[in-house]
Each structure stands twice: as structure tokens, then as C-alpha cells.
Amino acid sequence: MVEISAQLVQGPVFLSGETIECAVTFVNTKTGNASDRSEYESLAWASAQILCQCSVNESRVKLYQQSSPSRQSSKETTSVNRQTSFVPSTGERGMTVLSSKPTILFCDLNLNPGETKTYIYREEIPKNCVPSFKGQNVKYSYKVTIGAQKVDQPTRLLKIPFRVLSMQGLAEYSVYQEMSQVKPSNPFVQTSQKQPTVLDVALEILQTVTSKKAPHFFNITNTRGKVTRFCLFKEAYKLGDDVIGSFDFSSAEVPCVQFTASLQSIESIKDSCKAAPDQQTTVFTHGKKHEFSLHMDKTHISLQIPDVVTPSFDTDIGKTVSLKWRLHFEFVISVHDIPGHPAPKSPTESSTWRGPANLEVENMEWDLPIKVFPTNPLHLSDNQSKAVTKVIVD
């Protein structure tokens, strides 16, 4: 009996373009005499491959025509020899949108009782691949699939899920020139420069893009005048960041009784993939703050972006779906002016203000787009256990 275990070396979170490393260990669980040939265990072969599956809500999304060769579900790719061949999509739902070339780990492996052999599987994740995404209409999931087989025995599969963060949208920022600044050098000393990795370049870009603080001010008005002034300190954020903004009601012309600020993601289906032409986008709220603002001069909001969500991406990468982020505001505005609270004439006096029993109000909504980028995948991997996945080959 052979036990196969696998573990992702750097954790379960990666950026597109990074190289994934998976340690695959084969153990002969028998404890007999090493000189006894009957205690030996032999495996004919073992192979590994990266797979990305796409599953959709068929009531809202239509993908390809049935005759298209790209639409091949796990059920359609099975054949008469499925038990003895390496079919990574066996047991998976949906269609395969990314499949790397299979890598052979070994052929004809013999293990003595208690002997252990470990192999490292390495594969580069494509730079333009879709990110891991679990939406209301579309789901993209990544797995490393390892297959092994004994002679004349069915193939056993071991699957390790991992998460991919997309780098889409960062190429438009010209920060590469900032990285290649001219530095003084000695022509008589030979120096060797280390080639930066994909992760190094990505983190440099992310730091440059998301650390820029340029306050943006917005005067929010309706037909009767100014409601408030909102300040957003920056518009680009990483996963796990706090979106902080401030309200200034001191110069308002229309009394705002209360407001609600929400952090939302918008999942949009490509027009050619919509099941119905008039189908609306799907909006999901990740955080909300509610506050009364009557007679208030200034206040602020702070909404944290969860580190388990998916950064922004568009249909150039997702092909079928795009994801955008925004701040959604709902204001409850009084139709009539509300008298303020008269201040006491001296510090020794006190006064009580009683609000009106009924107010005639109207609602107003306003949306402000923001950009959400990935973060350092090592930070996310530290928050998740490096689980070991095992399977037994009889």
C-alpha cells in the first residue's frame, strides 16, 4: 500500500505569472523486511497538472454552443479507459478553461517497506489567466491534480486547490521606469544584478499604485442644493486595506438626516453570454456603515476590504464575467428645513432640543467607483494553513 501526500511549498495563494511548487511524497506504508520482495510496492507512473474549471449558473449565463470543441465537461472527456488513463477533470463540474501540459514525475517507482520518495512539481501560472472567483453567476477554481497508477490498477487522483490573484490592470501604470533608476557604479568592480522575479516586480507595482494618496473631493448635490462634501483619500486599494473617507456637512444647503455607506462588488456578464438581454448585473455588499448625520458638521467612514474577495478584473481576462468595485451611498434627506438646537447663553445654563415627531424625507443614492488590486500572496498564505492532502493507492 502506497500513501501519496502533497503540499504546496509556499502556501495556497499565488499571483498570475508566478511558479507554483508542490512537494509530492510517496510512502510505502508496509513495515516488513526490506529483503522480502513481496513487501515491495511499485508504481507504474505519476503525473501532475494544473487545471482551472469554470462552472456557471445556467439560468443566467450561456457560454458556448454545444458543438464547440472548447465546451468539454468532465463527463464528456471520459472514455472507455478512464480508469487507467490520466484525466484530471474527472469528478469536476463545469468546463475546463485552462489546462497545463502534464508533467511526468516518474516512471516505474519501487519502494522498500517504509521507504519515502519526494518529488517537486513546478509549473508557471499563465500571466493572462483568469483569477480565482466565486461569484453568483460564474465560478473559477484552480487545482493541482496528481495522478498515479499501479500496473493493471485504476488511476488514483489527488487534488490540491489553490488561489490565483490576477495582475490585470497594472500594466497601464508606467512604474517600470522608476524601478530602473540610474545608480552610481564602479567600472573596475564586477557586479552581478539579480534578475527580479514576477513577485518582486508585482509587489513593486502594487506598492507604487496603492500608496499614492491624492485626496479627491466630491460635492454631492440634488436639485435643491448641496447635501454634503465627501473626501476620498485615494482610489486604489489592496486586499485587506481600509477604505477611509470623510463627510463635511458644515456648508450643506439641504439637511441630511442619515446616510449609509456600503462597499460593493458588481459582477457583470458579457452581453453575448447573458441568458436574457435585459438581465441585470449582480451586486454584492461586503461591508456597510450606517450613521445619523442631522446637525453634524463632520464625520468619517472606514470600510475594510476582505482579503478573501477577488480583485477587480474585466472581460479581457474573465472572457465571460467582469468584476468592479464601488462605494454605494444612500442619503435620507429632509424635504423641509429643520431648526437647529439653540446654544445656551452661559455655561451654567442647559437646554434640551426635541426633534420633530414626523419628518417628510426623500432618498438619494450615489455611487463612487474604486479600484481593488491584489496584495502580497505570502500575507494571505500566512493566514491559511498549508494543509497536506493524502490519498492511498492500494
Side-chain angles (χ1 to χ4, degrees), residues 16-69:
S16 56
E18 273 195 284
T19 298
I20 187 172
E21 290 190 3
C22 182
V24 187
T25 303
F26 300 84
V27 182
N28 184 351
T29 57
K30 294 181 180 179
T31 58
N33 190 353
S35 61
D36 188 357
R37 302 291 297 180
S38 63
E39 299 295 329
Y40 278 42
E41 288 288 355
S42 298
L43 292 177
W45 58 266
S47 182
Q49 190 174 359
I50 290 179
L51 208 68
C52 177
Q53 291 290 123
C54 173
S55 57
V56 301
N57 182 351
E58 295 184 357
S59 63
R60 294 178 58 86
V61 181
K62 60 177 183 179
L63 289 180
Y64 304 98
Q65 299 296 328
Q66 294 290 341
S67 58
S68 173

Side-chain angles (χ1 to χ4, degrees), residues 147-160:
Q149 182 190 13
K150 284 186 176 182
V151 178
D152 296 331
Q153 296 292 328
T155 301
R156 299 301 301 270
L157 298 180
L158 178 63
K159 300 182 179 183
I160 305 98

Side-chain angles (χ1 to χ4, degrees), residues 185-323:
S185 59
N186 189 340
F188 302 101
V189 178
Q190 184 177 4
T191 59
S192 59
Q193 277 192 339
K194 182 182 178 182
Q195 189 71 16
T197 64
V198 173
L199 181 60
D200 295 334
V201 176
L203 295 181
E204 185 74 20
I205 296 173
L206 287 172
Q207 182 65 23
T208 303
V209 172
T210 59
S211 63
K212 292 181 179 178
K213 291 188 177 181
H216 295 74
F217 295 92
F218 304 90
N219 288 321
I220 304 174
T221 62
N222 65 0
T223 55
R224 296 166 48 211
K226 182 178 178 180
V227 177
T228 185
R229 188 189 193 202
F230 180 70
C231 173
L232 188 66
F233 299 102
K234 61 178 185 177
E235 59 178 7
Y237 302 87
K238 300 192 299 290
L239 296 180
D241 284 353
D242 293 325
V243 181
I244 300 175
S246 64
F247 287 98
D248 186 357
F249 296 95
S250 59
S251 59
E253 301 170 343
V254 181
C256 179
V257 180
Q258 63 184 22
F259 70 88
T260 301
S262 304
L263 176 66
Q264 296 180 340
S265 60
I266 304 98
E267 180 183 349
S268 303
I269 304 299
K270 193 176 180 180
D271 291 340
S272 60
C273 298
K274 289 182 178 179
D278 57 347
Q279 185 171 298
Q280 301 296 319
T281 58
T282 302
V283 179
F284 188 83
T285 300
H286 300 270
K288 182 180 292 188
K289 181 175 181 180
H290 178 85
E291 188 169 337
F292 290 93
S293 55
L294 185 61
H295 298 156
M296 182 181 292
D297 285 343
K298 295 182 180 181
T299 186
H300 75 281
I301 61 169
S302 179
L303 297 170
Q304 185 179 34
I305 303 174
D307 55 13
V308 296
V309 299
T310 302
S312 308
F313 68 93
D314 57 28
T315 51
D316 291 339
I317 286 184
K319 306 300 181 183
T320 303
V321 63
S322 63
L323 187 71

Side-chain angles (χ1 to χ4, degrees), residues 4 30-31 63 103 117 187 192 204 297 324 326 335 361:
I4 307 175
K30 294 181 180 179
T31 58
L63 289 180
T103 299
K117 285 288 185 70
S192 59
E204 185 74 20
D297 285 343
K324 305 296 182 184
R326 74 183 183 189
V335 175
V361 297

Side-chain angles (χ1 to χ4, degrees), residues 86 123 150 212 335 365 391 393:
F86 182 44
E123 186 68 44
K150 284 186 176 182
K212 292 181 179 178
V335 175
E365 297 184 359
V391 69
V393 179

